[in-house]
Amino acid sequence: MVLGVFLSFRVLNVPDLTVDGSFPLGGAVAASLIAGGAAPPAATLAAFGAGVLAGACTGLLHARMRIPALLAGILTMTALFSINLRIMGRPNVPLLRMPTLVQYVEKTPVGTQAPALVLFLAVAAGMSGVLYWFLRTEVGLSLRATGDNESMVASAGIEAGSAKTLGLSISNGMVALSGALTAQYQGFADVNMGFGTIVAGLASVILGEAILRPRRLHAALAAAVVGSLAYRASIAGALELGLAPGDLKLATALLVVPALALPALPGSRRMRHLRLPFPLPRRPAWPAAVHHAHPDGRKGPGP
């Protein structure tokens, strides 16, 4: 999920709120298919495909209908709430005594978290590797250039709207994949399980960048994963210290606000790397206008 938020927020520079709807969409699709007798791997892949379609809808609203990205994400997220209810047929789909991917890897006694941890770390590492490879391809470089300077890519012949649509599709596909795995881990899918996903994703990305201070693409991807682990560990630590579960969203917001505001404050040079975690294609240095001397000695462009 954090890798998907990283792709939309950092690479494409698009504040995509679709993730609050695509996360439960992945859980709804996977849980409904598994409850209907489908194999867990096929249900998980179907959830990824559903997330791709959700991201494509946001991209088309923004790129083709000229709706602002923030509003396009809100519209898609709102529509996905009803779609998720339609898919599940009810607000909650239990997966008790149903085969899941987590059960496939369970080799230890009941109650041990090692199998799920190994599975999720393997998926995170695999998706990080695939995303790193993709962003270094020609298509991936066009996505990175679009997020860095949309006017430049237009002059280079790259259609920025198509690049954004592709990036948002991949981003929400990864978020939906995360929702499918989460539903299989916790044993149910709920229509409200995506509430606050975008805030948690942003907090993880910013926290990881503050810890590792990445300067290259591979370090930025690693920082997103490390930030996710650190964020979840901080949530668990806050609960251990006695923080009420209802205050977790407030604590997350209080964590994100200073992290976003600090790079813009005067004298905060050490944190300005958070704005650009890795080098992106830059606008080419155009040659200065050539000035010719007029016959009468005046300065300025010649004939």
Side-chain angles (χ1 to χ4, degrees):
M1 182 271 292
V2 174
L3 291 173
V5 174
F6 170 82
L7 179 59
S8 61
F9 182 67
R10 282 302 192 206
V11 177
L12 292 175
N13 197 25
V14 174
D16 183 26
L17 295 183
T18 313
V19 297
D20 275 16
S22 57
F23 186 83
L25 173 65
V29 171
S32 299
L33 290 177
I34 292 175
T44 305
L45 290 177
F48 178 84
V52 169
L53 293 178
C57 290
T58 301
L60 291 175
L61 290 175
H62 172 56
R64 303 305 175 190
M65 299 185 181
R66 305 300 180 183
I67 299 176
L70 188 63
L71 182 57
I74 294 175
L75 291 173
T76 307
M77 175 189 65
T78 304
L80 285 177
F81 184 85
S82 298
I83 293 175
N84 293 337
L85 282 175
R86 284 285 186 177
I87 292 174
M88 294 189 294
R90 52 193 176 191
N92 188 290
V93 174
L95 292 176
L96 299 177
R97 295 182 295 275
M98 295 285 182
T100 62
L101 286 177
V102 176
Q103 293 180 1
Y104 283 176
V105 299
E106 280 185 344
K107 304 290 185 182
T108 56
V110 178
T112 304
Q113 301 296 321
L117 179 61
V118 171
L119 173 64
F120 295 150
L121 286 178
V123 173
M127 294 302 296
S128 299
V130 171
L131 190 58
Y132 176 75
W133 166 82
F134 171 73
L135 291 177
R136 290 172 60 87
T137 63
E138 184 176 353
V139 178
L141 287 173
S142 67
L143 263 66
R144 295 165 61 181
T146 301
D148 185 46
N149 193 321
E150 191 171 334
S151 301
M152 182 192 71
V153 298
S155 63
I158 299 175
E159 215 288 304
S162 299
K164 286 185 178 181
T165 302
L166 176 61
L168 291 175
S169 299
I170 299 174
S171 170
N172 285 277
M174 289 190 290
V175 174
L177 175 63
S178 176
L181 294 175
T182 302
Q184 295 178 65
Y185 170 72
Q186 64 188 11
F188 67 92
D190 190 87
V191 71
N192 293 314
M193 61 185 291
F195 178 73
T197 301
I198 183 63
V199 177
L202 290 176
S204 300
V205 170
I206 295 170
L207 186 59
E209 292 172 359
I211 294 174
L212 296 185
R213 299 189 178 186
R215 295 293 182 180
R216 293 293 184 267
L217 176 58
H218 65 277
L221 293 172
V225 178
V226 170
S228 176
L229 298 175
Y231 170 74
R232 294 300 173 183
S234 63
I235 293 297
L239 292 175
E240 289 292 333
L241 293 176
L243 183 67
D247 296 333
L248 291 180
K249 299 300 181 183
L250 176 60
T252 301
L254 294 178
L255 175 67
V256 173
V257 168
L260 288 175
L262 187 58
L265 296 178
S268 57
R269 295 181 179 179
R270 293 189 303 170
M271 298 295 291
R272 287 178 184 173
H273 70 281
L274 295 180
R275 293 188 175 187
L276 192 63
F278 54 88
L280 294 175
R282 297 183 179 275
R283 183 190 295 271
W286 300 104
V290 178
H291 293 271
H292 302 276
H294 287 266
D296 59 358
R298 291 185 294 108
K299 295 182 179 180

